[in-house]
């Protein structure tokens, strides 16, 4: 069973709330890339990209390795299991509510047909 660490979830969702950071994760899912390549790809400054990478590193979603003057980024070993489990829990609540609503609507339709 997944134990939810609130501070960790807060940090992860904060990191994932930014479209550029989500894009970086998608890009790194395809291939490792240097910070410079990522900055070019997203049309931003090197400093701006370093800040995004730093946020992703803090939550363990990205790791970097410096070889010479090049800092290469790759997906971190930490996966999003805790975040996915939290979202799945919320999804189950909504699914149950919509199923209950569907049952009420069906019951009303049946009554309408029988009562005329």
């Amino acid at each position: 069973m997944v134990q939810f660490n609130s501070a960790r979830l807060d940090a992860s969702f904060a990191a994932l709330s930014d479209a550029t950071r989500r894009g970086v994760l998608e890009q790194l899912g395809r291939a490792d890339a240097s910070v410079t390549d990522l900055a070019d790809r997203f049309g931003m400054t090197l400093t701006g990209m370093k800040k995004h990478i730093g946020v992703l590193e803090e939550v363990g979603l990205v790791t970097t390795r410096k070889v010479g003057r090049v800092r290469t980024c790759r997906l971190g070993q930490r996966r999003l299991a805790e975040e996915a489990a939290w979202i799945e829990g919320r999804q189950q609540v909504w699914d149950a509510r919509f199923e209950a609503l569907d049952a009420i609507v069906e019951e009303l339709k049946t009554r309408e047909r029988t009562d005329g």
Side-chain angles (χ1 to χ4, degrees):
M1 178 174 184
V2 176
Q3 297 291 323
F4 296 115
N5 176 332
S6 181
R8 184 171 159 169
L9 278 178
D10 289 348
S12 292
F13 284 124
L16 295 171
S17 69
D18 184 273
T20 298
R21 292 193 284 264
R22 291 191 306 273
V24 166
L25 291 176
E26 288 178 23
Q27 182 62 41
L28 294 177
R30 291 188 279 276
D32 296 351
S34 71
V35 176
T36 303
D37 288 342
L38 290 169
D40 289 344
R41 193 164 305 204
F42 288 88
M44 59 187 338
T45 65
L46 193 56
T47 301
M49 182 53 70
K50 285 179 180 176
K51 287 180 182 177
H52 285 298
I53 296 299
V55 171
L56 292 169
E57 270 189 309
E58 285 179 20
V59 295
L61 297 176
V62 167
T63 60
T64 61
R65 183 176 56 135
K66 189 171 184 177
V67 177
R69 297 176 56 184
V70 177
R71 183 171 295 277
T72 303
C73 304
R74 67 175 33 176
L75 288 179
Q77 293 186 352
R78 183 176 164 268
R79 298 178 182 215
L80 295 170
E82 187 175 357
E83 293 80 0
W86 187 88
I87 291 169
E88 177 62 27
R90 306 298 68 77
Q91 184 66 43
Q92 288 175 359
V93 168
W94 282 106
D95 288 347
R97 289 182 178 181
F98 281 116
E99 285 177 20
L101 181 61
D102 286 345
I104 291 170
V105 169
E106 274 307 311
E107 184 180 320
L108 291 172
K109 285 181 179 178
T110 301
R111 274 193 212 166
E112 190 174 281
R113 276 185 248 133
T114 56
D115 294 344

